[in-house]
Amino acid sequence: MVKEIQLRVNLIEERKENILLYKASKKLDVDKKEITAVKVLRKSIDARKKDIIFNYKVAVYLNEPVPEKSDYTFNYKDVSNAKEIHIVGFGPAGMYAALRCIELGYKPIVLERGKDVKKRRRDLKAINQDHFVNEDSNYCFGEGGAGTYSDGKLYTRSLKRGDVRRIFENLVFHGATEQILIDAHPHIGTNKLPKIIQNIRENILKFGGEVHFETRVTDFIVKNNKLQAIQLQNGQEMPVNSVILATGHSARDVYELLHKKEIALKAKSFAMGVRVEHPQEIIDQIQYHCSGERDELLPAAAYSLVHQVNNRGVYSFCMCPGGFIVPAATANGEVVVNGMSPSKRNNKFANSGIVVELDIDRDFKKYEKFGALKGLEFQKDLEKIAFYAGGRTQTAPAQRLGDFIDGKLSTDLNDCSYQPGLKSAPLHSLLPKIIGSRLRKGFTAFGQKMHGYHTNEANIIGVESRTSSPVNIPRKENLEHTEIEGLFPCGEGGGYAGGIISAAMDGERCAEAAIAKL
C-alpha cells in the first residue's frame, strides 16, 4: 500500500535523522517497521513567519518496495533514413522538438546560428572582458538558447499546455538531478545545464538526427503560400517539408525578414525595466526574519513582488538568489542585462529584473510607422540609450536604488556581480516616463512590503529589456502559421512561451503538429 500525505517539519526537526519516517509513522499511526520507504514528492519552504517550516508531500510505502524505474520512458528510434523535419534554433523549444521527432520516428535536422556550449564560452568571455558581442554566439544565441548560460530556472505556470512532469523527467533522463522533480521552484544552475544540453545533442545524433552549428537561416523560399525551402547564410538552399521556427525572442533578423516578406506578424505586449541587485544577506534577513547569516539548512532566499502603478503591473522577473548579472546583448551598440545563478546559488548577491507592463496598443504611438515591429523598435531604442549611458561599451548604466527613487545621480556605486562593470547614470531621467516613474513608485511599494528592500546598498542596472518577445508570429489551431503552409512558429520567439519548460512543451507540440501535417 502507498499513501500520500503532507508533513510539516521545523528547522530543529529538519536536522534530525529519519525525521520524515518518524513523522509519517506518527501521522498514519503505524509502526515504523511497516514503512518500507518514505519518498519525497514535493518540498517547499514556508518562511512567512519567524518559525520557518519545511512542507513535504511524501509517498509512504507500507510493506511494499519502492519502484526502481520512473513511470516515464523515452523510446528513441533510429531515424537516419526517416522523413525529415527542419528545426531552426536549438534552445529548449528546438531541442524538445527534435527529441519528440525522434520518438515519433522522424528525422530532425536542426540549424543553429550559434556555437556548441563549449565554443560558446569563448564568446561569453569576450563580452565580459573585451566588451565585444559576437552577433551569432552570445548569452542568447548558441546551443541551448538563452537558458544555457542565464539561469536554468524551471518554474512554470503553463500547466495546461502539456505534460510538465514529462519535461522534467526528460531532463533527469539526460543527466539532471532528481531534485528538480521535488523542489517547488526547481533550478538546475548555469554551471550544470551545459552538460545536460550536450547529452541531449549527443542523443539526437546517436539516433540519426542532425545538428548543424554556425548555420544561420537568412531566407524562406515561399511559393503559393507554401514554404518550399530555406536559404542559409552561405547561399545554400535546403528543400523542406515542414519547418519548426524556434529562434527565440532575440532573433530580430527573423522578425525583420518575415516583415519584409509581408508574412503576417503581430505586435505583442511585453515588459521592460531594470535589474536590481542587493547583497544576498539583506534578502536573507528580510525573508528569514534573521540577523546575520541565514541558517545553513536554508537556501539563498528569493522573493516575488508585484504592485499596480497607474493600472500597470510592476513586478519582479527572473529572480536569481545567490546569482550574477550578465550582459545579454545580441549586437554591438546595445546594452542588455539578465540574471543567472549557479546550482549552489552561493554568490554573495541577489538580483532580479524589476519590470513594467507595456501595452502595445497604448504605449507606442510614436512607433506606429513600424507596424508589427513597433515594440521591437522601442526595445532597440532603450538598449541604445543604455549603451551610450554606459560609455559605449558593455559597461552598464547604474544607480543606487535609493538615489533612483529620490531622483538624484549616485556619486558612487556599490560592488556588483556584473563583470563588464558599471557607470553611474541618471536612470531616473534616462528611462522613458512610462517605465521610470512606475519603477520608482513600484520600488517604494516593495520597500513597504519587504522592510529593508528599499536601500542604497542596492544597485539598479539598465536595461532589462528581453523579458519576452515584442512580436507574435500568428498560427492556426493546428500550430501552423496563419498564411504560410509548412511553417510552425514555436516557443518564445513565436510568442508562445515564457521560459525553459513552457518552451520545451511548445516544442513537443509543434513537432507533433508538423508531423501530423506531412
Side-chain angles (χ1 to χ4, degrees):
M1 181 187 297
V2 182
K3 290 195 173 184
E4 291 187 8
I5 59 173
Q6 304 283 342
L7 299 175
R8 288 169 60 82
V9 178
N10 63 35
L11 264 173
I12 295 173
E13 293 171 327
E14 182 74 6
R15 290 182 165 80
K16 295 180 180 177
E17 192 175 352
N18 296 323
I19 186 63
L20 295 182
L21 174 64
Y22 169 78
K23 289 221 167 213
S25 83
K26 189 173 180 181
K27 184 160 186 174
L28 294 174
D29 195 22
V30 297
D31 193 299
K32 284 187 285 187
K33 294 178 182 178
E34 292 184 48
I35 299 177
T36 312
V38 179
K39 182 179 179 180
V40 178
L41 303 177
R42 207 73 170 157
K43 181 182 179 181
S44 62
I45 297 174
D46 185 349
R48 289 174 294 178
K49 297 179 181 178
K50 194 170 180 64
D51 292 328
I52 294 169
I53 298 295
F54 294 85
N55 289 315
Y56 286 93
K57 180 182 180 182
V58 299
V60 183
Y61 289 78
L62 301 169
N63 300 312
E64 185 175 324
V66 179
E68 292 184 8
K69 294 184 178 180
S70 167
D71 293 336
Y72 287 81
T73 56
F74 301 95
N75 298 314
Y76 298 116
K77 306 165 185 176
D78 184 356
V79 296
S80 304
N81 300 310
K83 270 191 173 182
E84 298 173 351
I85 300 285
H86 288 75
I87 300 167
V88 184
F90 200 47
M95 285 190 299
Y96 272 80
L99 289 172
R100 189 64 180 141
C101 283
I102 294 172
E103 279 188 284
L104 297 174
Y106 289 79
K107 180 177 181 175
I109 297 180
V110 180
L111 309 170
E112 166 57 50
R113 70 192 297 164
K115 301 177 183 178
D116 66 49
V117 285
K118 286 188 177 178
K119 291 180 181 177
R120 196 175 166 191
R121 287 176 186 155
R122 298 191 201 106
D123 297 311
L124 303 188
K125 184 178 179 182
I127 298 173
N128 282 297
Q129 295 186 4
D130 305 325
H131 300 242
F132 175 77
V133 180
N134 181 326
E135 297 188 4
D136 286 319
S137 178
N138 44 62
Y139 277 96
C140 291
F141 299 148
E143 185 174 23
T148 306
Y149 291 110
S150 62
D151 196 61
K153 283 186 289 297
L154 305 179
Y155 182 65
T156 182
R157 294 184 178 89
S158 304
L159 302 180
K160 295 180 180 179
R161 297 186 187 178
D163 189 343
V164 174
R165 178 76 180 202
R166 172 184 159 82
I167 303 299
F168 279 68
E169 292 275 4
N170 195 286
L171 286 167
V172 172
F173 179 82
H174 284 99
T177 170
E178 290 192 356
Q179 193 65 33
I180 68 170
L181 305 176
I182 295 169
D183 290 342
H185 295 279
H187 169 255
I188 293 177
T190 193
N191 55 319
K192 293 189 174 181
L193 260 174
K195 179 58 179 173
I196 296 164
I197 287 163
Q198 182 180 322
N199 291 343
I200 290 174
R201 181 229 307 161
E202 289 173 353
N203 220 18
I204 290 168
L205 298 176
K206 175 183 175 182
F207 289 96
E210 296 180 14
V211 181
H212 301 274
F213 294 111
E214 299 182 70
T215 306
R216 193 204 293 191
V217 173
T218 56
D219 202 1
F220 301 100
I221 311 303
V222 178
K223 292 182 181 178
N224 298 322
N225 290 333
K226 180 174 173 54
L227 188 57
Q228 302 285 336
I230 49 180
Q231 187 175 73
L232 307 182
Q233 192 173 24
N234 62 8
Q236 178 187 352
E237 279 192 17
M238 299 180 75
V240 296
N241 298 310
S242 292
V243 172
I244 296 171
L245 190 61
T247 48
H249 61 43
S250 289
R252 291 170 169 170
D253 57 320
V254 172
Y255 299 134
E256 289 162 355
L257 171 64
L258 296 176
H259 189 62
K260 183 179 178 182
K261 296 178 77 72
E262 298 184 346
I263 293 173
L265 296 174
K266 291 180 181 178
K268 172 179 156 292
S269 294
F270 59 110
M272 295 175 71
V274 295
R275 278 255 144 202
V276 62
E277 184 172 76
H278 292 76
Q280 181 64 52
E281 191 172 60
I282 288 178
I283 303 302
D284 290 341
Q285 290 170 0
I286 296 170
Q287 298 295 74
Y288 293 140
H289 323 286
C290 64
S291 58
E293 295 184 0
R294 67 179 184 271
D295 191 285
E296 62 182 0
L297 293 179
L298 296 171
Y303 60 82
S304 178
L305 293 166
V306 63
H307 184 72
Q308 290 292 315
V309 179
N310 300 334
N311 299 314
R312 301 293 175 81
V314 179
Y315 60 92
S316 57
F317 171 84
C318 184
M319 197 273 144
C320 300
F324 302 83
I325 297 177
V326 297
T330 52
N332 292 290
E334 63 190 29
V335 165
V336 182
V337 292
N338 193 9
M340 73 175 193
S341 298
S343 56
K344 291 183 179 179
R345 289 180 160 169
N346 55 358
N347 189 41
K348 64 180 181 178
F349 295 108
N351 73 79
S352 178
I354 303 295
V355 296
V356 177
E357 288 180 331
L358 300 175
D359 188 308
I360 202 66
D361 296 319
R362 289 189 289 169
D363 294 335
F364 301 97
K365 299 300 181 185
K366 294 181 181 178
Y367 292 82
E368 288 296 336
K369 64 181 179 181
F370 296 105
L373 302 186
K374 58 185 175 181
L376 179 61
E377 292 299 324
F378 177 85
Q379 195 183 54
K380 281 185 184 179
D381 282 352
L382 199 58
E383 292 167 4
K384 288 175 186 174
I385 289 171
F387 176 75
Y388 285 106
R392 301 187 182 190
T393 66
Q394 283 303 301
T395 300
Q399 199 169 2
R400 287 179 183 255
L401 176 56
D403 291 342
F404 173 74
I405 293 170
D406 293 338
K408 63 182 183 181
L409 182 69
S410 298
T411 55
D412 60 356
L413 297 167
N414 301 297
D415 287 342
C416 181
S417 65
Y418 183 73
Q419 286 189 28
L422 304 179
K423 181 180 178 182
S424 180
L427 288 171
H428 62 277
S429 61
L430 289 173
L431 292 170
K433 189 176 180 181
I434 55 171
I435 296 175
S437 64
R438 287 185 171 94
L439 283 176
R440 291 166 75 180
K441 291 176 182 177
F443 277 125
T444 300
F446 296 161
Q448 294 166 353
K449 294 178 182 180
M450 289 177 61
H451 299 293
Y453 185 92
H454 175 180
T455 172
N456 246 10
E457 290 185 61
N459 291 326
I460 65 163
I461 299 101
V463 287
E464 172 80 50
S465 52
R466 308 284 179 96
T467 58
S468 66
S469 171
V471 180
N472 169 249
I473 307 176
R475 63 190 189 188
K476 298 181 288 190
E477 284 188 14
N478 70 347
L479 309 189
E480 192 174 35
H481 189 271
T482 52
E483 294 178 351
I484 308 302
E485 188 179 347
L487 180 65
F488 293 83
C490 182
E492 289 205 33
Y496 299 103
I500 291 173
I501 300 303
S502 56
M505 287 192 291
D506 202 56
E508 288 202 333
R509 292 176 66 217
C510 284
E512 293 164 4
I515 288 166
K517 183 72 178 180
L518 292 178

